[in-house]
Every structure is written in structure tokens, then in C-alpha cells.
Amino acid sequence: MWINNEIFKEDLQQIVNIKYIPWENFKSKTILITGGTGLIGSTLISALLYADRVKELNLKIIALVRDLTKAEQQFAEQQNFSDALSFVVGTVEKMPAIDMPVDYIVHGAGPTASNFLVEHPVETIRIAVLGTANMLEIAKAKKVKGFVYLSSMEVYGAPHTDTVIEETQGTTVDTMSVRSCYPEAKRLCESLCASYFSEYGVPAMVIRLAQTFGPGVAAKDQRVFAEFARCAMNRKDIVLQTAGTSKRCYLYTADAVTAILTLLLTGNSGEAYNAANNTTYCSIVEMAQMVAEKLGDNKIKVIVAVDGKHEQKFPPTHKLNLGIGKLQGLGWNASRNLLEMYARMMGTM
């Protein structure tokens, strides 16, 4: 599907044509990727395989996966297209041995589903922290040239103003809220990255991603953007499980990939970078209304929850208006607005 679908193909071509990414630095290099079967990881792997062929990079890509059969099915077309991809079966908490040299690492493995976070907060923390420590140990042993940890805008907690948030801003995370297991684990993993750079010289960098979506989102994905898309496609009213007043930025999947690659090759070690499209900043209810109007042809309504029964599954009400000047300073820019993100996601669901 990835190479035969016009939307996917257009995204891959766009990524490999980015001029500010120094692709030649990947020549004959090996990249280890965790979380490779997820939305961002699979798009990243597909883009690297496409670049490997188009630019003759002689890349080797190692993907850490839990389920080999699932991974082979998911990447069947890519492997027909390129033999640069291989799999290592295991988990980040119990890492198998990596016997070959590794030049770069992108670490994106970890739970993200809201239900899992509130039902398994201990496991959420354990997977994140042990997994990141293990990956940093590999980076140290292999003397990698670059390491990027995929973090989240949630590390900023729940600001209550629309002020632009730069990377130096502190946090308002409530450590006694079970739902905080996710951002608190992310924060500790970020600190591990900074610590491994300071103590051992591991060139670790952190990318704080806005909520990311685009082509490749599964039809049954439970996240709010996927539910809104399904409602528009099926002409069903959008029912919010919260008041929908939280405001945040979003990011197109291909733009997340170009941000990761830009940081991996040109970022400053020991630092964090926000990644978002700041033109997408809006409340959840505003996004729902846009979907109902523009993609549901005004034939569906937005119904806002009043009982608050599901609030504990989600972050507290927040305003996460991410500043992206630091990443833009490396040449990066987002390419797709919110309406385009939805249209392109729905074109592959």
C-alpha cells in the first residue's frame, strides 16, 4: 500500500526531496529504530527505505519489534522494494543483543493509548524508563553519531494561557495523578538523555512532538483525531468525552519524520526541540467543529459531554501552544495544515 498509494508516495517523495536534510551523512550507515510498527516509526522507516533507493545511500535499517510476523506483514511491500531493512525481535525493557555496528538511533517505543496509561501506570513508567536507559546504553557502547528520543508536548503539563511555550519552560504536571505516569516518565527519559550526554558524551537529543497524525492511521485507532475522522466518513455526530476546551498544536506525520531526521543529523546534543505546526493551534471542540463542517459537509453535529465520566483518561485541561523557533533554526518547517492532515489521513483509512 505504501508505495502504490498516491498519498503515501507523495509524502515519501516530499521527504526525500527536503534540501535541509544532509542525506549524504547517511551514506553506508546503520540506523536502529524502536517503535517501528507505530505510525511515526513506520513512516520513518518507509521514508528511509525510499531515500536509500532514490539516493543510493547503502543504508542498513534495524527495527526492534515485538511481533516478527506482524512486522513482516506490515513492511512486506517495503521489503520487496528494498533489502535494507532487518528486524530484531524483543522489547526495549529486555533488549536483545545488537551484534552489528550502529551509527544512529531513533527511540520511539512506548505505550501511548489513554486506556493503557490509566490501567497500567506502573508498566507505562517501567517500559519508558528501563527502555530508554537500555537504548542509551547501546548508544554509548556503539559510539553512535546521533540519538533522538521521541518525547511529547505533555511534558509541559497543563498551562492555562495561550503564551507560546519554548523548550526552557518548566512544567505543571501533577505527580499524584495516575494519568501523569505518561508525562512524568517522558520527563525522566529526557533527563536520562541529558545525563548520558553530560556524563558519557552520548549525542542524545529530545524531540517534543505535538499530537501527530496523517496517512497510515488505523481505521480502528481510538485516538480523538481518528474518531473525528470516522464520524465524518460515516456521517455520525461527533460526541466529545470531555468539554473539549484543551488547546494544542498538531503535526503531520511526514513533517514529524523530517523533524526527526533534521534533528538526528544537525541537532545539538543534550538539547530538546519542540516539533509542531503552530498554525494548527486550536481547542479540541474547535477541531471537531472544523471536521463536522468541512469534512462532514455540515451534516453532522458536535455534542459536548456534560457528565465528565471519562476525564480521568485524558490530560488535565491545558493550552499547549508550542514554539518551534529552535527547530526552524535548523531549517525545518511544517508543510501541512490541519484540514490537509485530516483529508490525507482519511484518504488512507
Side-chain angles (χ1 to χ4, degrees):
M1 179 179 179
W2 74 285
I3 196 64
N4 294 320
N5 181 281
E6 287 303 313
I7 294 174
F8 277 115
K9 189 172 182 180
E10 187 178 27
D11 281 353
L12 298 181
Q13 290 171 339
Q14 175 188 327
I15 291 168
V16 301
N17 287 328
I18 294 291
K19 302 299 184 186
Y20 52 76
I21 296 174
W23 294 100
E24 66 278 4
N25 290 6
F26 281 138
K27 194 83 172 178
S28 300
K29 297 298 190 295
T30 300
I31 306 171
L32 172 61
I33 298 172
T34 73
T37 57
L39 177 65
I40 297 173
S42 62
T43 307
L44 173 62
I45 289 172
S46 297
L48 286 168
L49 291 173
Y50 193 76
D52 179 56
R53 177 171 175 178
V54 171
K55 296 180 178 294
E56 299 181 342
L57 296 175
N58 190 35
L59 267 175
K60 288 185 175 62
I61 301 164
I62 308 166
L64 176 72
V65 299
R66 290 174 178 266
D67 185 331
L68 180 60
T69 301
K70 175 186 173 184
E72 288 178 336
Q73 290 173 346
Q74 183 170 346
F75 290 102
E77 290 182 54
Q78 290 93 322
Q79 289 192 297
N80 287 334
F81 183 81
S82 169
D83 61 1
L85 175 62
S86 61
F87 301 110
V88 173
V89 180
T91 67
V92 288
E93 315 95 275
K94 298 179 180 179
M95 276 295 299
I98 305 294
D99 297 326
M100 61 194 77
V102 175
D103 300 291
Y104 295 98
I105 295 176
V106 177
H107 175 37
T112 58
S114 293
N115 285 337
F116 185 93
L117 304 183
V118 296
E119 292 169 7
H120 304 283
V122 173
E123 289 76 12
T124 297
I125 294 169
R126 182 177 291 135
I127 292 168
V129 177
L130 292 180
T132 302
N134 286 338
M135 296 309 300
L136 286 163
E137 279 294 319
I138 292 173
K140 175 186 167 189
K142 302 291 185 181
K143 296 181 171 57
V144 300
K145 301 176 185 299
F147 178 106
V148 172
Y149 172 64
L150 274 53
S151 188
S152 166
M153 64 182 178
E154 285 197 37
V155 298
Y156 294 114
H160 295 303
T161 73
D162 292 309
T163 304
V164 173
I165 298 170
E166 307 296 349
E167 288 85 352
T168 53
Q169 178 158 322
T171 185
T172 58
V173 176
D174 176 8
T175 58
M176 299 311 293
S177 166
V178 170
R179 178 55 179 74
S180 293
C181 64
Y182 178 72
E184 279 295 275
K186 289 286 188 184
R187 291 180 65 221
L188 184 50
C189 292
E190 289 192 8
S191 186
L192 275 171
C193 289
S195 299
Y196 267 80
F197 171 63
S198 175
E199 188 169 347
Y200 303 119
V202 174
M205 293 158 281
V206 168
I207 188 163
R208 295 171 180 162
L209 295 163
Q211 191 163 58
T212 301
F213 64 90
V217 170
K220 295 182 179 180
D221 193 298
Q222 295 302 301
R223 285 171 290 186
V224 66
F225 52 80
E227 174 63 19
F228 291 178
R230 283 192 297 272
C231 287
M233 294 166 73
N234 298 324
R235 295 297 187 263
K236 290 174 57 179
D237 291 341
I238 295 173
V239 180
L240 299 185
Q241 295 184 15
T242 70
T245 54
S246 286
K247 297 177 72 176
R248 60 180 70 150
C249 297
Y250 297 88
L251 185 62
Y252 187 58
T253 317
D255 291 333
V257 167
T258 58
I260 292 164
L261 294 175
T262 300
L263 192 54
L264 191 63
L265 294 175
T266 65
N268 293 321
S269 300
E271 296 187 13
Y273 293 77
N274 292 334
N277 183 336
N278 46 22
T279 70
T280 65
Y281 183 62
C282 65
S283 70
I284 294 171
V285 70
E286 287 171 339
M287 183 169 71
Q289 289 165 344
M290 181 206 75
V291 172
E293 177 186 346
K294 303 290 187 182
L295 300 169
D297 298 327
N298 268 330
K299 294 179 180 177
I300 61 176
K301 302 189 297 293
V302 177
I303 300 170
V304 179
V306 292
D307 57 23
K309 288 191 300 184
H310 301 282
E311 294 281 353
Q312 73 276 8
K313 289 198 306 183
F314 305 106
T317 301
H318 55 263
K319 294 184 177 181
L320 293 171
N321 187 12
L322 300 187
I324 57 172
K326 192 173 177 182
L327 192 53
Q328 286 177 319
L330 300 178
W332 178 87
N333 252 313
S335 66
R336 300 288 181 183
N337 64 35
L338 196 56
L339 190 58
E340 289 175 307
M341 290 167 62
Y342 263 98
R344 295 176 75 79
M345 172 178 66
M346 290 165 64
T348 61
M349 288 180 77

